[in-house]
Amino acid sequence: MNAVPPSSEPHVMPTYGRLPVALSHGQGCWVWDTTGRRLLDGLGGIAVNTLGHNHPRLVPALQDQATKLIHCSNYYQMPLQEQLAARLCELSGLANVFFCNSGLEANEAALKIARKFGHDRGNASPEVLVFDGAFHGRSIATLSATANPKIHAGFEPLVPGFVRVPLNDIAAVEAAVAAHPDITAIFLETIQGEGGINPARIEFLQALRRLCDAHDLLLMLDEVQCGIGRTGRWFAHQWAGIQPDVMPLAKGLGSGVPIGAVVCGPRAAGVLKAGNHGTTFGGNPLAMRAGIETLKIMQEDGLLANAEAVGATLRGALTEGLAGVAGVVEIRGQGLMLGVELDRAAGPLLTQCLEAGLLISVTAERVVRLLPPLILTHDEAREIAARLVPLVKALLAQPLPSKP
């Protein structure tokens, strides 16, 4: 199988390298394509379909909301916004929430908070410390915070005001803060997703929290991909026993309905005031109902514990199946956010897995990324490994391509 030629979708802007499949419907962790073929969803819409597909309690709730209000504008009070915001604050221990439509928008809002936080303290040119391997979005500001030159290419000049250092290197962070007195915030993904499933170490996160407190900086943790229960805690940073000042969320919060959120602690909660930021669609009643029901179902069904336990089964099956295989660099991640790094480009596995009835992703060129729904069962986790492992072995059995 090869990527679908652009001519097959002549009226759609060719911004995606699509695979040759069109999905028709889904049930649980399985989807069907338009030919009737059944596929196991190991990607979850890139960490979006928290509750899988056609969930028996989410779908009726969305149908009910659609009969009442889908959208009504932020000119008016939004009781559902307050309900979801209160729950997010309860789960995170933070203070207030701004709602938007996507992870990109949540990260963009976080960057505005960082700049306004600096200006409010008399800093005319605030800077944000970011990290190698980061991915925060594709707007001009968020791609400037992102560390991928391929994403930058063609969109220069980048937005100034970013200082970049290696992940998990606290000495480099301390040196950068000392050398750049205009730094007002430290911004990172708790677990880098697009960068290759690279976790920030617990002791690194704890050291960042202490550093931010000592220098009156904002600690901004991007939990767009790793948050909402994916690692076995509501938010991945909770494994380190810390709280951020700013936490962008999106993806899994709405179980497929577009939603973004920026959750702020006391240091950042009052930075944005009326007129400083806004959105037309953000926080609309349908998205809020999706978020409320998602969190409720996750709580009632014990999906955090399921993500941790089933994630351990999946990781164990991958570790056992790939033990001793030359070319497997590392299996890493947490809960149901796992990556298998290879010593070569993993792109061929996309179509090979599709042919084997499995949906996956490849990121950072060499990392197989797995982000299945949090309702995944132990048997389905073992089935993912059973379909993936032979294909990885076959790829790695081929001679390593020579470097140009």
Side-chain angles (χ1 to χ4, degrees):
M1 289 183 172
N2 297 309
V4 175
S7 60
S8 67
E9 296 180 313
H11 299 96
V12 178
M13 196 173 292
T15 55
Y16 304 104
R18 299 193 196 273
L19 292 171
V21 65
L23 302 181
S24 168
H25 61 285
Q27 184 65 52
C29 293
W30 297 83
V31 293
W32 284 258
D33 70 10
T34 51
T35 71
R37 186 173 46 145
R38 184 173 179 248
L39 306 104
L40 181 53
D41 188 358
L43 186 58
I46 317 180
V48 168
N49 296 106
T50 300
L51 304 178
H53 305 275
N54 193 30
H55 193 279
R57 300 207 298 284
L58 177 66
V59 171
L62 297 179
Q63 291 171 329
D64 173 71
Q65 186 60 47
T67 69
K68 296 174 179 177
L69 277 175
I70 294 176
H71 177 81
C72 63
S73 155
N74 282 299
Y75 283 164
Y76 316 111
Q77 292 183 359
M78 292 271 200
L80 290 177
Q81 280 189 17
E82 176 56 28
Q83 187 177 340
L84 181 54
R87 182 61 174 145
L88 289 172
C89 289
E90 178 186 9
L91 296 174
S92 66
L94 301 181
N96 64 13
V97 184
F98 172 82
F99 290 110
C100 49
N101 307 285
S102 68
L104 180 154
E105 291 175 64
N107 284 333
E108 187 86 18
L111 293 173
K112 287 185 68 174
I113 289 170
R115 286 201 170 185
K116 182 72 162 45
F117 181 82
H119 279 279
D120 288 348
R121 283 156 176 73
N123 185 342
S125 301
E127 295 181 311
V128 177
L129 186 70
V130 293
F131 292 85
D132 293 339
F135 179 87
H136 297 293
R138 296 178 183 272
S139 68
I140 294 297
T142 57
L143 74 82
S144 298
T146 290
N148 190 336
K150 292 181 179 179
I151 291 175
H152 297 165
F155 300 103
E156 300 88 348
L158 302 180
V159 173
F162 295 101
V163 177
R164 197 176 311 281
V165 297
L167 185 68
N168 289 318
D169 187 341
I170 193 61
V173 173
E174 291 170 342
V177 170
H180 296 267
D182 287 335
I183 288 175
T184 59
I186 297 176
F187 189 31
L188 70 155
E189 299 151 277
T190 314
I191 302 176
Q192 292 181 343
E194 299 294 330
I197 314 298
N198 301 310
R201 292 196 295 266
I202 285 177
E203 60 272 19
F204 181 70
L205 291 170
Q206 293 168 339
L208 290 181
R209 179 69 275 173
R210 291 192 297 269
L211 185 69
C212 287
D213 289 341
H215 292 271
D216 193 27
L217 309 177
L218 296 179
L219 179 59
M220 308 200 306
L221 296 180
D222 177 348
E223 295 252 358
V224 167
Q225 191 168 133
C226 61
I228 313 299
R230 183 145 293 276
T231 67
R233 298 282 177 93
W234 285 107
F235 312 108
H237 68 264
Q238 290 175 330
W239 290 101
I242 64 167
Q243 290 180 332
D245 299 300
V246 180
M247 178 174 62
L249 301 171
K251 289 191 180 290
L253 180 56
S255 295
V257 176
I259 187 172
V262 185
V263 190
C264 290
R267 186 175 285 167
V271 171
L272 294 182
K273 297 176 174 59
N276 288 152
H277 198 52
T279 169
T280 296
F281 290 103
N284 72 55
L286 184 68
M288 295 300 94
R289 185 71 181 273
I292 290 165
E293 297 296 334
T294 295
L295 298 181
K296 179 181 177 182
I297 293 167
M298 289 178 66
Q299 179 77 47
E300 292 176 349
D301 290 2
L303 293 188
L304 273 67
N306 191 69
E308 185 176 6
V310 176
T313 294
L314 177 55
R315 185 170 187 160
L318 292 170
T319 300
E320 180 180 358
L322 295 172
V325 176
V328 176
V329 176
E330 187 180 13
I331 299 172
R332 58 178 177 262
Q334 196 162 10
L336 287 174
M337 183 176 186
L338 297 175
V340 181
E341 183 177 355
L342 309 180
D343 67 354
R344 67 198 67 191
L349 292 170
L350 286 170
T351 50
Q352 292 168 9
C353 283
L354 187 61
E355 291 169 345
L358 175 65
L359 303 182
I360 64 161
S361 170
V362 168
T363 189
E365 297 185 357
R366 302 188 307 166
V367 180
V368 177
R369 178 173 53 167
L370 297 171
L371 300 162
L374 302 192
I375 62 169
L376 192 76
T377 67
H378 291 280
D379 285 345
E380 288 167 337
R382 286 185 281 266
E383 185 62 26
I384 289 176
R387 299 186 185 203
L388 177 60
V389 164
L391 299 176
V392 171
K393 287 182 175 179
L395 178 67
L396 295 176
Q398 299 173 16
L400 188 64
S402 57
K403 295 182 180 180

